[in-house]
Amino acid sequence: MALKAKRYDVWTATIEDRAGGAASVLEKLAKAKISLDMMFARRLPEHPGSGMLVVGPIKGKKAAAAALAAGVAKTGVMHGVKIEGGDKPGLGAKITRALGDAGISFRGISADVIGRKFVCHLALDNPQDADRAVALLKKL
C-alpha cells in the first residue's frame, strides 16, 4: 500500500495550564462542528500557568471565524503533513531517513497505529519543506 500524504495548516492557542484548560477551547471548536484530524497540547514551562494547544486542519471561512473567536489562530511558523498507510515494522525509520536524506528537518513528529494502519503527523518549519515532504513521501 502506498503512503498517502497531504499538507495542512496548523492552528494554535494559548491555554490555561489547569484541569480543563484544553477542553474549554476544544468545546468551542466542537460547538462550531469543526472536525479535527489532530490535536496536541503541552505545558509551556517558560510561561508558568500556560499551555499550548495545537490543532488542524481547520477548513472553511465559518470554521476559521469560529476558531478565531475561540482564540485559535493559524500559525505561520508550523506547517503540518499527515501521512497514512499500512503499518509495517521500520516504517518510522524509513520515513525519517527519507526526510533526512532529502535535507528536510522536522520540528515534531507523532504517529499511531490502529489495527493494520498507521497515521503520522509531521510539523515542519516552512511551507516549502511541507510541500517537499508530501511529494517525497508519496513516492515511498
Side-chain angles (χ1 to χ4, degrees), residues 97-137:
R97 171 52 53 209
L99 294 168
D101 287 350
I104 301 170
S105 178
F106 55 84
R107 65 189 295 159
I109 185 170
S110 72
D112 289 294
V113 173
I114 300 172
R116 295 182 182 179
K117 306 228 183 233
F118 85 98
V119 63
C120 176
H121 290 272
L122 295 172
L124 299 130
D125 291 322
N126 59 64
Q128 296 82 13
D129 281 351
D131 288 340
R132 289 178 51 222
V134 166
L136 173 74
L137 293 167

mmCIF file of all heavy atoms in Angstrom, residues 97-137:
data_model
loop_
_atom_site.group_PDB
_atom_site.id
_atom_site.type_symbol
_atom_site.label_atom_id
_atom_site.label_comp_id
_atom_site.label_asym_id
_atom_site.label_seq_id
_atom_site.Cartn_x
_atom_site.Cartn_y
_atom_site.Cartn_z
ATOM 1 N N ARG A 97 14.295 8.645 7.675
ATOM 2 C CA ARG A 97 15.523 8.578 6.861
ATOM 3 C C ARG A 97 15.314 9.275 5.528
ATOM 4 O O ARG A 97 16.166 10.020 5.063
ATOM 5 C CB ARG A 97 15.958 7.125 6.657
ATOM 6 C CG ARG A 97 17.102 6.919 5.661
ATOM 7 C CD ARG A 97 18.357 7.764 5.899
ATOM 8 N NE ARG A 97 18.851 7.634 7.249
ATOM 9 C CZ ARG A 97 19.517 8.601 7.889
ATOM 10 N NH1 ARG A 97 19.756 9.763 7.309
ATOM 11 N NH2 ARG A 97 19.935 8.427 9.121
ATOM 12 N N ALA A 98 14.170 9.045 4.886
ATOM 13 C CA ALA A 98 13.895 9.698 3.600
ATOM 14 C C ALA A 98 13.881 11.212 3.760
ATOM 15 O O ALA A 98 14.447 11.939 2.934
ATOM 16 C CB ALA A 98 12.566 9.199 3.031
ATOM 17 N N LEU A 99 13.248 11.687 4.825
ATOM 18 C CA LEU A 99 13.236 13.135 5.074
ATOM 19 C C LEU A 99 14.645 13.655 5.317
ATOM 20 O O LEU A 99 15.048 14.688 4.765
ATOM 21 C CB LEU A 99 12.334 13.461 6.272
ATOM 22 C CG LEU A 99 10.843 13.193 6.087
ATOM 23 C CD1 LEU A 99 10.122 13.272 7.428
ATOM 24 C CD2 LEU A 99 10.244 14.162 5.086
ATOM 25 N N GLY A 100 15.400 12.945 6.145
ATOM 26 C CA GLY A 100 16.769 13.360 6.444
ATOM 27 C C GLY A 100 17.650 13.386 5.210
ATOM 28 O O GLY A 100 18.408 14.340 4.996
ATOM 29 N N ASP A 101 17.562 12.350 4.393
ATOM 30 C CA ASP A 101 18.374 12.299 3.170
ATOM 31 C C ASP A 101 18.019 13.414 2.205
ATOM 32 O O ASP A 101 18.861 13.852 1.416
ATOM 33 C CB ASP A 101 18.214 10.938 2.485
ATOM 34 C CG ASP A 101 18.921 9.814 3.230
ATOM 35 O OD1 ASP A 101 19.705 10.101 4.172
ATOM 36 O OD2 ASP A 101 18.675 8.636 2.878
ATOM 37 N N ALA A 102 16.774 13.883 2.259
ATOM 38 C CA ALA A 102 16.343 14.993 1.389
ATOM 39 C C ALA A 102 16.649 16.351 2.009
ATOM 40 O O ALA A 102 16.323 17.386 1.429
ATOM 41 C CB ALA A 102 14.847 14.865 1.102
ATOM 42 N N GLY A 103 17.239 16.352 3.204
ATOM 43 C CA GLY A 103 17.566 17.617 3.860
ATOM 44 C C GLY A 103 16.376 18.309 4.490
ATOM 45 O O GLY A 103 16.405 19.511 4.717
ATOM 46 N N ILE A 104 15.323 17.547 4.768
ATOM 47 C CA ILE A 104 14.118 18.112 5.377
ATOM 48 C C ILE A 104 14.161 17.829 6.872
ATOM 49 O O ILE A 104 14.111 16.682 7.300
ATOM 50 C CB ILE A 104 12.839 17.513 4.754
ATOM 51 C CG1 ILE A 104 12.798 17.788 3.248
ATOM 52 C CG2 ILE A 104 11.594 18.063 5.457
ATOM 53 C CD1 ILE A 104 11.697 17.044 2.506
ATOM 54 N N SER A 105 14.245 18.889 7.659
ATOM 55 C CA SER A 105 14.269 18.772 9.107
ATOM 56 C C SER A 105 12.866 19.040 9.640
ATOM 57 O O SER A 105 12.248 20.034 9.270
ATOM 58 C CB SER A 105 15.262 19.792 9.680
ATOM 59 O OG SER A 105 15.267 19.727 11.088
ATOM 60 N N PHE A 106 12.375 18.165 10.497
ATOM 61 C CA PHE A 106 11.050 18.386 11.073
ATOM 62 C C PHE A 106 11.193 18.875 12.497
ATOM 63 O O PHE A 106 12.151 18.566 13.183
ATOM 64 C CB PHE A 106 10.171 17.134 10.990
ATOM 65 C CG PHE A 106 10.772 15.903 11.608
ATOM 66 C CD1 PHE A 106 10.654 15.666 12.969
ATOM 67 C CD2 PHE A 106 11.451 14.985 10.824
ATOM 68 C CE1 PHE A 106 11.203 14.529 13.536
ATOM 69 C CE2 PHE A 106 11.999 13.844 11.386
ATOM 70 C CZ PHE A 106 11.879 13.620 12.743
ATOM 71 N N ARG A 107 10.227 19.658 12.941
ATOM 72 C CA ARG A 107 10.241 20.172 14.309
ATOM 73 C C ARG A 107 9.463 19.281 15.265
ATOM 74 O O ARG A 107 9.579 19.418 16.475
ATOM 75 C CB ARG A 107 9.735 21.606 14.349
ATOM 76 C CG ARG A 107 8.299 21.766 13.951
ATOM 77 C CD ARG A 107 7.864 23.208 13.783
ATOM 78 N NE ARG A 107 7.901 23.936 15.035
ATOM 79 C CZ ARG A 107 7.962 25.263 15.126
ATOM 80 N NH1 ARG A 107 7.993 25.987 14.040
ATOM 81 N NH2 ARG A 107 7.974 25.855 16.274
ATOM 82 N N GLY A 108 8.653 18.381 14.720
ATOM 83 C CA GLY A 108 7.908 17.453 15.549
ATOM 84 C C GLY A 108 7.344 16.325 14.709
ATOM 85 O O GLY A 108 7.122 16.486 13.505
ATOM 86 N N ILE A 109 7.142 15.179 15.364
ATOM 87 C CA ILE A 109 6.552 14.020 14.695
ATOM 88 C C ILE A 109 5.776 13.220 15.738
ATOM 89 O O ILE A 109 6.197 13.121 16.894
ATOM 90 C CB ILE A 109 7.636 13.136 14.018
ATOM 91 C CG1 ILE A 109 7.005 11.999 13.213
ATOM 92 C CG2 ILE A 109 8.637 12.624 15.032
ATOM 93 C CD1 ILE A 109 7.996 11.232 12.336
ATOM 94 N N SER A 110 4.632 12.711 15.341
ATOM 95 C CA SER A 110 3.888 11.777 16.189
ATOM 96 C C SER A 110 3.214 10.773 15.267
ATOM 97 O O SER A 110 2.855 11.104 14.132
ATOM 98 C CB SER A 110 2.856 12.494 17.066
ATOM 99 O OG SER A 110 1.780 12.941 16.293
ATOM 100 N N ALA A 111 3.082 9.552 15.751
ATOM 101 C CA ALA A 111 2.479 8.502 14.930
ATOM 102 C C ALA A 111 1.739 7.522 15.825
ATOM 103 O O ALA A 111 2.112 7.313 16.978
ATOM 104 C CB ALA A 111 3.547 7.778 14.118
ATOM 105 N N ASP A 112 0.688 6.938 15.279
ATOM 106 C CA ASP A 112 -0.093 5.928 15.976
ATOM 107 C C ASP A 112 -0.490 4.839 14.998
ATOM 108 O O ASP A 112 -0.636 5.089 13.795
ATOM 109 C CB ASP A 112 -1.376 6.537 16.569
ATOM 110 C CG ASP A 112 -1.076 7.434 17.743
ATOM 111 O OD1 ASP A 112 -0.605 6.922 18.774
ATOM 112 O OD2 ASP A 112 -1.300 8.646 17.624
ATOM 113 N N VAL A 113 -0.682 3.647 15.546
ATOM 114 C CA VAL A 113 -1.145 2.505 14.763
ATOM 115 C C VAL A 113 -2.502 2.078 15.311
ATOM 116 O O VAL A 113 -2.692 1.993 16.522
ATOM 117 C CB VAL A 113 -0.140 1.336 14.856
ATOM 118 C CG1 VAL A 113 -0.704 0.091 14.188
ATOM 119 C CG2 VAL A 113 1.188 1.728 14.231
ATOM 120 N N ILE A 114 -3.425 1.845 14.398
ATOM 121 C CA ILE A 114 -4.730 1.291 14.752
ATOM 122 C C ILE A 114 -4.941 0.100 13.829
ATOM 123 O O ILE A 114 -5.063 0.277 12.609
ATOM 124 C CB ILE A 114 -5.862 2.325 14.598
ATOM 125 C CG1 ILE A 114 -5.608 3.529 15.500
ATOM 126 C CG2 ILE A 114 -7.212 1.680 14.889
ATOM 127 C CD1 ILE A 114 -6.557 4.681 15.298
ATOM 128 N N GLY A 115 -4.949 -1.081 14.407
ATOM 129 C CA GLY A 115 -5.068 -2.280 13.592
ATOM 130 C C GLY A 115 -3.867 -2.423 12.678
ATOM 131 O O GLY A 115 -2.734 -2.456 13.145
ATOM 132 N N ARG A 116 -4.119 -2.442 11.395
ATOM 133 C CA ARG A 116 -3.036 -2.598 10.412
ATOM 134 C C ARG A 116 -2.665 -1.290 9.723
ATOM 135 O O ARG A 116 -1.875 -1.291 8.783
ATOM 136 C CB ARG A 116 -3.455 -3.615 9.358
ATOM 137 C CG ARG A 116 -3.630 -4.986 9.943
ATOM 138 C CD ARG A 116 -3.998 -5.973 8.876
ATOM 139 N NE ARG A 116 -4.211 -7.279 9.491
ATOM 140 C CZ ARG A 116 -4.564 -8.335 8.829
ATOM 141 N NH1 ARG A 116 -4.756 -8.276 7.531
ATOM 142 N NH2 ARG A 116 -4.743 -9.475 9.461
ATOM 143 N N LYS A 117 -3.244 -0.205 10.164
ATOM 144 C CA LYS A 117 -2.990 1.101 9.546
ATOM 145 C C LYS A 117 -2.267 2.020 10.516
ATOM 146 O O LYS A 117 -2.364 1.861 11.728
ATOM 147 C CB LYS A 117 -4.299 1.740 9.124
ATOM 148 C CG LYS A 117 -5.135 0.862 8.230
ATOM 149 C CD LYS A 117 -5.611 1.601 7.062
ATOM 150 C CE LYS A 117 -6.506 0.676 6.253
ATOM 151 N NZ LYS A 117 -6.144 0.576 4.919
ATOM 152 N N PHE A 118 -1.566 2.996 9.965
ATOM 153 C CA PHE A 118 -0.915 3.987 10.803
ATOM 154 C C PHE A 118 -1.269 5.378 10.289
ATOM 155 O O PHE A 118 -1.648 5.569 9.128
ATOM 156 C CB PHE A 118 0.615 3.809 10.801
ATOM 157 C CG PHE A 118 1.292 4.497 9.655
ATOM 158 C CD1 PHE A 118 1.869 5.752 9.824
ATOM 159 C CD2 PHE A 118 1.333 3.922 8.402
ATOM 160 C CE1 PHE A 118 2.469 6.403 8.756
ATOM 161 C CE2 PHE A 118 1.927 4.564 7.336
ATOM 162 C CZ PHE A 118 2.499 5.813 7.512
ATOM 163 N N VAL A 119 -1.156 6.334 11.185
ATOM 164 C CA VAL A 119 -1.262 7.745 10.816
ATOM 165 C C VAL A 119 -0.122 8.462 11.525
ATOM 166 O O VAL A 119 0.197 8.168 12.670
ATOM 167 C CB VAL A 119 -2.643 8.356 11.156
ATOM 168 C CG1 VAL A 119 -2.902 8.351 12.646
ATOM 169 C CG2 VAL A 119 -2.771 9.760 10.593
ATOM 170 N N CYS A 120 0.492 9.367 10.808
ATOM 171 C CA CYS A 120 1.642 10.108 11.318
ATOM 172 C C CYS A 120 1.438 11.580 10.990
ATOM 173 O O CYS A 120 0.939 11.913 9.911
ATOM 174 C CB CYS A 120 2.911 9.580 10.644
ATOM 175 S SG CYS A 120 4.437 10.440 11.066
ATOM 176 N N HIS A 121 1.805 12.443 11.916
ATOM 177 C CA HIS A 121 1.750 13.884 11.681
ATOM 178 C C HIS A 121 3.142 14.459 11.857
ATOM 179 O O HIS A 121 3.829 14.172 12.839
ATOM 180 C CB HIS A 121 0.782 14.561 12.655
ATOM 181 C CG HIS A 121 -0.645 14.231 12.381
ATOM 182 N ND1 HIS A 121 -1.416 14.958 11.507
ATOM 183 C CD2 HIS A 121 -1.430 13.236 12.846
ATOM 184 C CE1 HIS A 121 -2.621 14.434 11.454
ATOM 185 N NE2 HIS A 121 -2.652 13.385 12.263
ATOM 186 N N LEU A 122 3.544 15.254 10.881
ATOM 187 C CA LEU A 122 4.814 15.972 10.927
ATOM 188 C C LEU A 122 4.537 17.455 11.100
ATOM 189 O O LEU A 122 3.590 17.981 10.515
ATOM 190 C CB LEU A 122 5.589 15.821 9.611
ATOM 191 C CG LEU A 122 6.080 14.457 9.197
ATOM 192 C CD1 LEU A 122 6.640 14.526 7.780
ATOM 193 C CD2 LEU A 122 7.144 13.971 10.164
ATOM 194 N N ALA A 123 5.378 18.109 11.859
ATOM 195 C CA ALA A 123 5.362 19.568 11.943
ATOM 196 C C ALA A 123 6.659 20.053 11.319
ATOM 197 O O ALA A 123 7.755 19.610 11.701
ATOM 198 C CB ALA A 123 5.259 20.029 13.395
ATOM 199 N N LEU A 124 6.519 20.929 10.330
ATOM 200 C CA LEU A 124 7.674 21.459 9.619
ATOM 201 C C LEU A 124 7.727 22.977 9.757
ATOM 202 O O LEU A 124 6.716 23.618 10.065
ATOM 203 C CB LEU A 124 7.614 21.043 8.145
ATOM 204 C CG LEU A 124 7.644 19.512 7.993
ATOM 205 C CD1 LEU A 124 6.540 19.046 7.103
ATOM 206 C CD2 LEU A 124 8.985 19.059 7.534
ATOM 207 N N ASP A 125 8.898 23.537 9.504
ATOM 208 C CA ASP A 125 9.116 24.966 9.736
ATOM 209 C C ASP A 125 8.591 25.890 8.647
ATOM 210 O O ASP A 125 8.371 27.065 8.906
ATOM 211 C CB ASP A 125 10.612 25.248 9.926
ATOM 212 C CG ASP A 125 11.139 24.679 11.220
ATOM 213 O OD1 ASP A 125 10.410 24.728 12.225
ATOM 214 O OD2 ASP A 125 12.285 24.185 11.232
ATOM 215 N N ASN A 126 8.439 25.384 7.428
ATOM 216 C CA ASN A 126 8.013 26.282 6.355
ATOM 217 C C ASN A 126 7.190 25.504 5.329
ATOM 218 O O ASN A 126 7.278 24.274 5.255
ATOM 219 C CB ASN A 126 9.226 26.980 5.711
ATOM 220 C CG ASN A 126 10.214 26.003 5.134
ATOM 221 O OD1 ASN A 126 9.902 25.272 4.203
ATOM 222 N ND2 ASN A 126 11.425 25.965 5.701
ATOM 223 N N PRO A 127 6.414 26.227 4.530
ATOM 224 C CA PRO A 127 5.545 25.538 3.562
ATOM 225 C C PRO A 127 6.324 24.817 2.468
ATOM 226 O O PRO A 127 5.862 23.803 1.953
ATOM 227 C CB PRO A 127 4.673 26.665 2.992
ATOM 228 C CG PRO A 127 5.363 27.930 3.322
ATOM 229 C CD PRO A 127 6.191 27.669 4.544
ATOM 230 N N GLN A 128 7.493 25.311 2.132
ATOM 231 C CA GLN A 128 8.301 24.661 1.097
ATOM 232 C C GLN A 128 8.730 23.261 1.555
ATOM 233 O O GLN A 128 8.647 22.296 0.788
ATOM 234 C CB GLN A 128 9.530 25.508 0.744
ATOM 235 C CG GLN A 128 9.200 26.843 0.129
ATOM 236 C CD GLN A 128 8.845 27.920 1.157
ATOM 237 O OE1 GLN A 128 9.054 27.779 2.360
ATOM 238 N NE2 GLN A 128 8.289 29.022 0.659
ATOM 239 N N ASP A 129 9.180 23.146 2.811
ATOM 240 C CA ASP A 129 9.555 21.831 3.325
ATOM 241 C C ASP A 129 8.338 20.909 3.414
ATOM 242 O O ASP A 129 8.445 19.716 3.149
ATOM 243 C CB ASP A 129 10.220 21.950 4.698
ATOM 244 C CG ASP A 129 11.683 22.365 4.612
ATOM 245 O OD1 ASP A 129 12.248 22.398 3.497
ATOM 246 O OD2 ASP A 129 12.274 22.662 5.674
ATOM 247 N N ALA A 130 7.186 21.459 3.779
ATOM 248 C CA ALA A 130 5.971 20.644 3.839
ATOM 249 C C ALA A 130 5.617 20.111 2.455
ATOM 250 O O ALA A 130 5.299 18.925 2.302
ATOM 251 C CB ALA A 130 4.818 21.452 4.430
ATOM 252 N N ASP A 131 5.691 20.958 1.440
ATOM 253 C CA ASP A 131 5.397 20.519 0.071
ATOM 254 C C ASP A 131 6.402 19.466 -0.399
ATOM 255 O O ASP A 131 6.029 18.471 -1.026
ATOM 256 C CB ASP A 131 5.408 21.710 -0.888
ATOM 257 C CG ASP A 131 4.218 22.630 -0.716
ATOM 258 O OD1 ASP A 131 3.189 22.200 -0.150
ATOM 259 O OD2 ASP A 131 4.322 23.805 -1.146
ATOM 260 N N ARG A 132 7.682 19.687 -0.102
ATOM 261 C CA ARG A 132 8.720 18.717 -0.476
ATOM 262 C C ARG A 132 8.496 17.387 0.230
ATOM 263 O O ARG A 132 8.660 16.323 -0.366
ATOM 264 C CB ARG A 132 10.115 19.265 -0.148
ATOM 265 C CG ARG A 132 10.545 20.403 -1.062
ATOM 266 C CD ARG A 132 11.920 20.971 -0.698
ATOM 267 N NE ARG A 132 12.916 19.933 -0.581
ATOM 268 C CZ ARG A 132 13.843 19.887 0.388
ATOM 269 N NH1 ARG A 132 13.891 20.820 1.317
ATOM 270 N NH2 ARG A 132 14.726 18.910 0.425
ATOM 271 N N ALA A 133 8.114 17.439 1.509
ATOM 272 C CA ALA A 133 7.866 16.209 2.267
ATOM 273 C C ALA A 133 6.704 15.429 1.666
ATOM 274 O O ALA A 133 6.793 14.203 1.515
ATOM 275 C CB ALA A 133 7.597 16.544 3.738
ATOM 276 N N VAL A 134 5.631 16.112 1.326
ATOM 277 C CA VAL A 134 4.470 15.435 0.718
ATOM 278 C C VAL A 134 4.879 14.725 -0.562
ATOM 279 O O VAL A 134 4.568 13.547 -0.760
ATOM 280 C CB VAL A 134 3.312 16.428 0.471
ATOM 281 C CG1 VAL A 134 2.258 15.835 -0.441
ATOM 282 C CG2 VAL A 134 2.701 16.884 1.791
ATOM 283 N N ALA A 135 5.582 15.431 -1.445
ATOM 284 C CA ALA A 135 6.000 14.835 -2.719
ATOM 285 C C ALA A 135 6.905 13.625 -2.490
ATOM 286 O O ALA A 135 6.737 12.576 -3.127
ATOM 287 C CB ALA A 135 6.701 15.886 -3.576
ATOM 288 N N LEU A 136 7.828 13.744 -1.572
ATOM 289 C CA LEU A 136 8.767 12.665 -1.273
ATOM 290 C C LEU A 136 8.046 11.454 -0.666
ATOM 291 O O LEU A 136 8.258 10.305 -1.087
ATOM 292 C CB LEU A 136 9.824 13.177 -0.295
ATOM 293 C CG LEU A 136 10.797 12.151 0.271
ATOM 294 C CD1 LEU A 136 11.795 11.751 -0.799
ATOM 295 C CD2 LEU A 136 11.517 12.721 1.472
ATOM 296 N N LEU A 137 7.188 11.688 0.294
ATOM 297 C CA LEU A 137 6.532 10.589 0.998
ATOM 298 C C LEU A 137 5.552 9.829 0.117
ATOM 299 O O LEU A 137 5.358 8.619 0.293
ATOM 300 C CB LEU A 137 5.823 11.130 2.248
ATOM 301 C CG LEU A 137 6.800 11.658 3.310
ATOM 302 C CD1 LEU A 137 6.047 12.471 4.365
ATOM 303 C CD2 LEU A 137 7.598 10.538 3.942
#
